[in-house]
Amino acid sequence: MSTVAEILTSLKVLFTEYAGKSGNKETLSKRELAEMLHKEVPGTEDMSKAEIKDFFDLLDEDGDGEVDFKEFVNFAVTLNMLSEME
Ligand SMILES: [Ca+2]
């Protein structure tokens, strides 16, 4: 079983890999998020631009047009809680 610290570390590695591709290396842009989804999440290859935008807006809680690590972790935690409720 993974500890919270281990989970956070792997999330940080994933986040940094994509956030560092262009622009601000501390945040995910919409393009970087789309790339992450396409490469890391099976079944998202066919997502439309509008669907990506909706998903991005969901993550971007403060609406500043970038997803920072805190917003990314919030999302991952929510997703994990949802999957445990199934
Ligand atoms: Ca934000």
Side-chain angles (χ1 to χ4, degrees):
M1 197 171 156
S2 299
T3 66
V4 170
E6 282 169 349
I7 293 167
L8 279 176
T9 302
S10 37
L11 281 176
K12 183 77 184 178
V13 168
L14 182 70
F15 182 86
T16 306
E17 183 185 339
Y18 288 93
K21 285 185 183 291
S22 65
N24 190 332
K25 299 200 181 318
E26 303 296 320
T27 59
L28 280 177
S29 65
K30 205 168 292 169
R31 201 160 48 108
E32 287 164 345
L33 178 75
E35 193 174 343
M36 179 194 284
L37 284 175
H38 292 162
K39 290 199 178 149
E40 309 289 341
V41 188
T44 60
E45 296 87 352
D46 299 332
M47 277 175 87
S48 68
K49 278 213 168 84
E51 284 170 330
I52 297 274
K53 184 186 178 301
D54 285 348
F55 186 71
F56 185 86
D57 289 344
L58 202 68
L59 266 67
D60 183 18
E61 285 184 340
D62 61 9
D64 66 353
E66 304 274 351
V67 171
D68 60 29
F69 186 60
K70 184 177 139 297
E71 289 169 334
F72 183 68
V73 168
N74 283 345
F75 169 74
V77 168
T78 307
L79 200 69
N80 189 45
M81 275 163 43
L82 288 175
S83 67
E84 281 175 2
M85 283 194 296
E86 278 173 6

